[in-house]
Amino acid sequence: MSYAEIDAHLVAPKRFVTLSHLSQVEQADFPALQDTTGLSMTDLSKILRDLEDRGLVEISKERKNRYGITLVRLTPDGRRTFLNLVATLNRIAGN
């Protein structure tokens, strides 16, 4: 077992908690994601942009009544990547 098996970028606490929440839901709107992760709007925006650039999340904007809402979901590759990361962490931890 080696630290090289772990994507250090994804185990950074802010990214990890964001991916963890998204892995438990089909999709989340921005305010709910911000509330459950405890991240500031700025931090969450940067993290989501980064995860989107890596192809791990999909961000869409929709209209609800007169207001726009931002929805975030894991892509199939994002879900697979996160599950593999958790499996690797568990294996290294001996679980």
Side-chain angles (χ1 to χ4, degrees), residues 6-92:
I6 300 171
D7 185 338
H9 188 76
L10 297 181
V11 294
K14 293 176 182 179
R15 285 183 196 88
F16 189 84
V17 75
T18 302
L19 289 169
S20 178
H21 177 73
L22 289 172
S23 74
Q24 298 172 45
V25 297
E26 184 177 324
Q27 67 183 9
D29 64 21
F30 193 93
L33 190 56
Q34 186 179 3
D35 186 50
T36 58
T37 61
L39 296 171
S40 69
M41 185 182 299
T42 304
D43 279 346
L44 186 57
S45 292
K46 288 177 185 177
I47 288 165
L48 291 176
R49 193 173 324 113
D50 173 66
L51 294 173
E52 184 180 38
D53 289 346
R54 291 173 138 237
L56 302 176
V57 299
E58 179 179 279
I59 301 171
S60 61
K61 305 223 185 243
E62 295 183 6
R63 300 294 278 165
K64 188 173 188 178
N65 298 328
R66 296 184 338 211
Y67 304 99
I69 59 171
T70 301
L71 298 173
V72 184
R73 72 177 66 215
L74 283 179
T75 63
D77 188 45
R79 188 166 301 279
R80 221 175 3 265
T81 298
F82 183 72
L83 292 175
N84 288 338
L85 174 63
V86 170
T88 299
L89 291 172
N90 281 326
R91 189 179 81 254
I92 289 171

